[in-house]
């Protein structure tokens, strides 16, 4: 009835009714990741849709992270991690060293050497990305089974940072990456 609840759906402009993730940017805009219809930004009452129909890079967005400069980092199907800076988008995919073009989860890690650190859970494991101040990829490192990461396919929106650990939900367990462990002191992070 509108007095207690309001609704947004496809009938009033959303790209689909199937919303996978919701986040908010630094300007208060609501960001929606969908299954099959890309992502949308609700700016006041205006709905802006981004999908393959208007040259967006992926139609499925599993997770959204907004950094301190209001850049959107989108975990996607088929395009890996998508960076959207408000004007253009860029795919960070297997071509850049990501372990899969299916990215499901994103969390900000501890920054190192003045570079932003993002942890990205994908279909084929966990990735640590180092991104410089110009938003270029400085380094991509995949944490593998041989490193002690026994999870394989990471689940959607199932990665969280707490203190010196990253908790990752995978298809067959929850894995915990402990940065105080001696094994990680020797890895090139």
């Amino acid at each position: 009835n509108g007095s207690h609840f309001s609704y947004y759906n496809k009938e009033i402009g959303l790209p689909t009714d199937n919303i996978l993730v919701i986040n908010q940017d630094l300007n208060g805009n609501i960001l929606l990741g969908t299954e099959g219809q890309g992502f949308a930004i609700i700016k006041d009452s205006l709905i802006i849709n981004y999908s393959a129909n208007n040259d967006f890079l992926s139609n499925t967005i599993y997770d959204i992270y907004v950094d301190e400069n209001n850049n959107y980092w989108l975990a996607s199907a088929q395009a890996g991690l998508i960076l959207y800076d408000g004007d253009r988008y860029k795919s960070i995919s297997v071509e850049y060293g990501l372990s899969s073009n299916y990215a499901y989860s994103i969390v900000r890690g501890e920054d190192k050497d003045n570079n932003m650190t993002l942890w990205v859970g994908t279909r084929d494991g966990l990735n640590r990305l180092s991104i410089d101040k110009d938003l270029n990829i400085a380094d991509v490192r995949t944490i593998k089974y041989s490193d002690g990461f026994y999870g394989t396919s990471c689940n959607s929106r199932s990665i969280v940072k707490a203190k010196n650990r990253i908790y990752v939900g995978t298809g067959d367990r929850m894995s915990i990456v402990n940065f105080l462990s001696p094994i990680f002191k020797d890895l090139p992070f």
Side-chain angles (χ1 to χ4, degrees):
N1 65 12
S3 64
H4 299 291
F5 297 96
S6 297
Y7 299 96
Y8 282 81
N9 59 23
K10 190 173 180 176
E11 291 176 8
I12 63 167
L14 289 184
T16 180
D17 293 333
N18 191 2
I19 307 302
L20 298 179
V21 61
I22 300 173
N23 204 339
Q24 184 175 27
D25 73 12
L26 301 179
N27 298 321
N29 300 316
I30 301 300
L31 312 175
L32 306 174
T34 76
E35 183 171 34
Q37 294 298 318
F39 88 106
I41 301 171
I42 302 174
K43 194 178 230 177
D44 299 317
S45 60
L46 177 67
I47 301 171
I48 306 165
N49 296 313
Y50 298 85
S51 71
N53 295 336
N54 56 10
D55 295 324
F56 186 64
L57 301 172
S58 177
N59 274 337
T60 300
I61 303 299
Y62 296 108
D63 202 0
I64 301 171
Y65 169 72
V66 179
D67 70 23
E68 67 276 6
N69 295 311
N70 215 32
N71 296 306
Y72 306 163
W73 300 86
L74 311 166
S76 79
Q78 298 178 325
L81 184 64
I82 299 170
L83 165 61
Y84 179 65
D85 67 5
D87 293 318
R88 61 189 182 279
Y89 21 84
K90 170 184 175 180
S91 172
I92 301 165
S93 62
V94 294
E95 292 176 20
Y96 288 91
L98 203 64
S99 62
S100 172
N101 284 337
Y102 285 80
Y104 298 129
S105 302
I106 313 163
V107 71
R108 179 81 174 255
E110 298 295 327
D111 294 349
K112 187 174 180 180
D113 300 327
N114 295 317
N115 288 340
M116 175 172 56
T117 299
L118 293 178
W119 289 89
V120 180
T122 73
R123 176 186 278 177
D124 295 322
L126 182 63
N127 298 260
R128 180 209 160 268
L129 282 70
S130 177
I131 300 153
D132 70 20
K133 63 180 174 41
D134 296 320
L135 301 177
N136 296 309
I137 305 303
D139 185 50
V140 177
R141 172 84 164 95
T142 300
I143 310 302
K144 302 178 270 191
Y145 187 86
S146 60
D147 298 319
F149 182 73
Y150 297 133
T152 52
S153 182
C154 298
N155 291 329
S156 179
R157 297 175 314 278
S158 65
I159 185 169
V160 73
K161 177 181 168 261
K163 297 185 182 179
N164 292 312
R165 293 181 169 90
I166 300 286
Y167 295 80
V168 183
T170 67
D172 61 354
R173 70 192 74 218
M174 180 179 77
S175 295
I176 303 167
V177 180
N178 180 353
F179 298 109
L180 298 179
S181 171
I183 186 174
F184 292 108
K185 291 181 180 175
D186 297 330
L187 292 177
F189 288 108

